[in-house]
Amino acid sequence: MPQTPAQLLTRMRSVSPTSPRLVWHGREGRIELSGRVFDNWVAKSSNLLVDELDATGGTIVAVDLPVHWKTLALVFACWQVGAVVVPADIDSEPATFADADIVLSSRAGLEVAPPRLLACVALGSLALRWDGPLPRGAVDFAAEVRSHGDVFPDAMDGPGVATSAPLVRAQGRTLTAADLAGLVAVPPGHEPGVAADSPTLLLGSGVDLLRALAAAFAVWERDGALVLVEEGVPVTDRMLEGEKVTDRLGTA
């Protein structure tokens, strides 16, 4: 039975919560998030989505962001409040967001027409605010997120937890947790719930957001770690050995 986002977050808080669950290798260096820290970022982001952007169950959120540790935290936050995520192609025009209630974007100069709401996401790991002019009415994610609560008290415990709940709209389909779990197969030898079999999966820079989300499901239900590599950062033998990578997805 595939685990839901809520169940994955619960495991992160309760099963080896200080162990690495998400590792980012970017141009600015390496960032490691334990299960507890990732859950904390998801909670803060969930509170921001509700308090600043009026997100609720059924809200459609266009995610105009590359594969990044902040992107994964924001996507899980969307799911925690019951929202449905629409990954945006990096070459999309703003008109692509016509059906979205909220747009999360790292693009400079992007504006969206009301009543849609925009959150600008600075991707620098140490960024404290958006770099440059903030579009009128937009929320500055980096500047606001740290002030929000470390616990999200209203996590969906009904339809938002069910494995049949819609999580992603992509490629003309609406995907559930079960659908996502089937998009990426972790090689044999890694059994869910067996610590000794927990995989460490490295995603190269060529992996799109949908497959990255599917990989997160496949790895985290096995209490493993996901390693993300920013475009332009070489994957070296030292990196593979240091992260104890057991499997790879993507070409970089």
Side-chain angles (χ1 to χ4, degrees):
M1 176 77 66
Q3 294 185 40
T4 65
Q7 290 168 334
L8 290 176
L9 291 171
T10 297
R11 288 192 68 82
M12 287 190 174
R13 293 191 299 269
S14 58
V15 178
S16 301
T18 60
S19 296
R21 289 288 181 263
L22 183 58
V23 179
W24 169 254
H25 283 271
R27 297 188 186 95
E28 298 176 341
R30 179 183 183 273
I31 297 290
E32 177 182 302
L33 285 77
S34 67
R36 180 179 295 153
V37 170
F38 181 77
D39 179 68
N40 180 261
W41 272 95
V42 172
K44 284 181 174 294
S45 300
S46 298
N47 284 310
L48 180 147
L49 286 169
V50 170
D51 296 343
E52 308 288 343
L53 297 165
D54 300 325
T56 187
T59 295
I60 305 300
V61 182
V63 180
D64 182 38
L65 300 168
V67 175
H68 190 280
W69 70 264
K70 289 185 180 180
T71 305
L72 265 64
L74 274 163
V75 169
F76 270 76
C78 290
W79 291 336
Q80 186 160 245
V81 306
V84 178
V85 167
V86 181
D89 186 276
I90 58 173
D91 295 322
S92 296
E93 294 298 324
T96 305
F97 311 143
D99 294 335
D101 303 302
I102 298 170
V103 177
L104 308 176
S105 182
S106 58
R107 283 196 239 192
L110 178 67
E111 295 191 12
V112 300
R116 292 168 207 87
L117 300 173
L118 172 65
C120 295
V121 183
L123 295 178
S125 296
L126 300 178
L128 297 178
R129 60 186 59 83
W130 181 252
D131 184 15
L134 196 67
R136 182 187 300 270
V139 171
D140 186 338
F141 173 79
E144 300 293 339
V145 68
R146 288 176 174 82
S147 65
H148 286 270
D150 294 342
V151 175
F152 183 66
D154 300 317
M156 296 286 286
D157 57 6
V161 172
T163 56
S164 60
L167 297 182
V168 177
R169 284 192 350 203
Q171 301 171 357
R173 300 172 59 198
T174 298
L175 305 176
T176 66
D179 296 324
L180 282 174
L183 291 180
V184 170
V186 173
H190 304 297
E191 299 300 326
V194 180
D197 288 335
S198 298
T200 297
L201 179 63
L202 182 141
L203 272 59
S205 60
V207 176
D208 62 23
L209 180 57
L210 184 60
R211 293 191 76 201
L213 296 173
F217 269 79
V219 169
W220 290 340
E221 72 174 2
R222 292 164 174 80
D223 302 323
L226 195 63
V227 181
L228 308 179
V229 181
E230 187 176 13
E231 184 175 359
V233 174
V235 176
T236 63
D237 290 341
R238 182 177 180 180
M239 180 190 297
L240 297 174
E241 293 170 4
E243 303 295 354
K244 299 181 175 60
V245 171
T246 60
D247 306 291
R248 294 179 64 172
L249 181 66
T251 57

